[in-house]
Amino acid sequence: MSTNDTNIASYIDHTILNADATGADIERICAEAAKYRFFSVCVNPIWVSTVSAALAGSGVLTCSVIGFPFGATPTASKVFEARGAIADGANEIDMVINIAAARAGDEEALVADISAIADAVHEGGAILKVIIETSMLSDDEKVLACRASVRAGADFVKTSTGFGGGGATVEDVALMRATVGPDLGVKASGGVRSLETARAMIDAGATRLGSSSGVAIVEGEQGAEGY
């Protein structure tokens, strides 16, 4: 067994982002995260306080998504949402970029949007991951979005929401790693449902994995359809 296999749980943001998730679902995810020692539990903002309380003392962090899943909300709204999630106990924030700006090649608009959220997140003592939604972008647009994320002071770039018609690929992870260099985190998310896939993403340069199949991954099984 490789080093990556033995500590694979420490790469995983155990995720439940579907709109019909119930309180019981959230409690189950938190219990799984504490049992397997995942890095974090990632949820929609309404569940942050629940997750933060459930994970207290476990060593597992609380992550929330902002501007999710489309990124098509004003910067001020994203800032407000991020601050609220941090106040509720989020340690990490995964924001969706202004995808239209990336498609238009408007790097300055991307930097302005991301940097405002980065400032708010860092003021709150949290870290920022920037979801660029790779399935909707050309390679040049992916590079542009990653470059803007670096300029704006993000801590990670992330492949996908998992709700945009595509997920992480090894090629995209490698491109993102090559663009941001060795110091920024790269999170592969969307379609990571097996140990084999998780291992491939890490080998390509991912330092974090977002998945609703975390238990299947660490058990060496194939996860069901989902994030």
Side-chain angles (χ1 to χ4, degrees):
M1 181 176 285
S2 72
T3 301
N4 284 345
D5 293 342
T6 59
N7 69 352
I8 196 73
S10 68
Y11 284 83
I12 295 173
D13 290 341
H14 199 36
T15 302
I16 182 165
L17 295 169
N18 48 302
D20 60 350
T22 66
D25 294 327
I26 301 299
E27 290 174 7
R28 172 179 56 80
I29 290 290
C30 289
E32 291 170 350
K35 175 181 177 180
Y36 289 96
R37 304 292 295 171
F38 294 128
F39 195 94
S40 80
V41 168
C42 187
V43 293
N44 283 302
I46 61 167
W47 296 114
V48 168
S49 58
T50 301
V51 170
S52 180
L55 295 175
S58 70
V60 180
L61 300 185
T62 301
C63 176
S64 190
V65 291
I66 297 302
F68 194 86
F70 302 121
T73 49
T75 299
S77 297
K78 293 179 182 177
V79 168
F80 180 83
E81 194 175 11
R83 285 177 172 155
I86 292 168
D88 283 344
N91 310 108
E92 301 191 340
I93 297 294
D94 291 14
M95 68 161 283
V96 187
I97 63 164
N98 179 343
I99 297 168
R103 295 285 304 276
D106 192 344
E107 184 172 342
E108 297 310 314
L110 288 172
V111 171
D113 186 50
I114 298 165
S115 62
I117 289 89
D119 288 346
V121 168
H122 293 152
E123 285 170 8
I127 75 161
L128 178 66
K129 309 189 202 88
V130 176
I131 307 171
I132 69 171
E133 200 66 287
T134 50
S135 65
M136 295 184 179
L137 304 179
S138 68
D139 282 355
D140 285 346
E141 291 161 354
K142 294 167 195 172
V143 169
L144 179 85
C146 287
R147 190 167 63 224
S149 299
V150 173
R151 288 181 56 198
D155 302 291
F156 274 76
V157 288
K158 175 179 170 181
T159 59
S160 319
T161 63
F163 292 82
T169 69
V170 166
E171 293 77 15
D172 283 340
V173 169
L175 177 64
M176 293 164 71
R177 172 55 67 202
T179 303
V180 303
D183 297 327
L184 218 70
V186 175
K187 179 175 173 179
S189 61
V192 182
R193 302 189 190 104
S194 70
L195 179 58
E196 180 181 10
T197 302
R199 196 184 293 137
M201 297 298 174
I202 294 168
D203 289 345
T207 50
R208 196 79 66 83
L209 308 170
S211 180
S212 57
S213 299
V215 173
I217 291 170
V218 298
E219 296 288 354
E221 301 171 353
Q222 176 65 48
E225 291 295 314
Y227 182 86

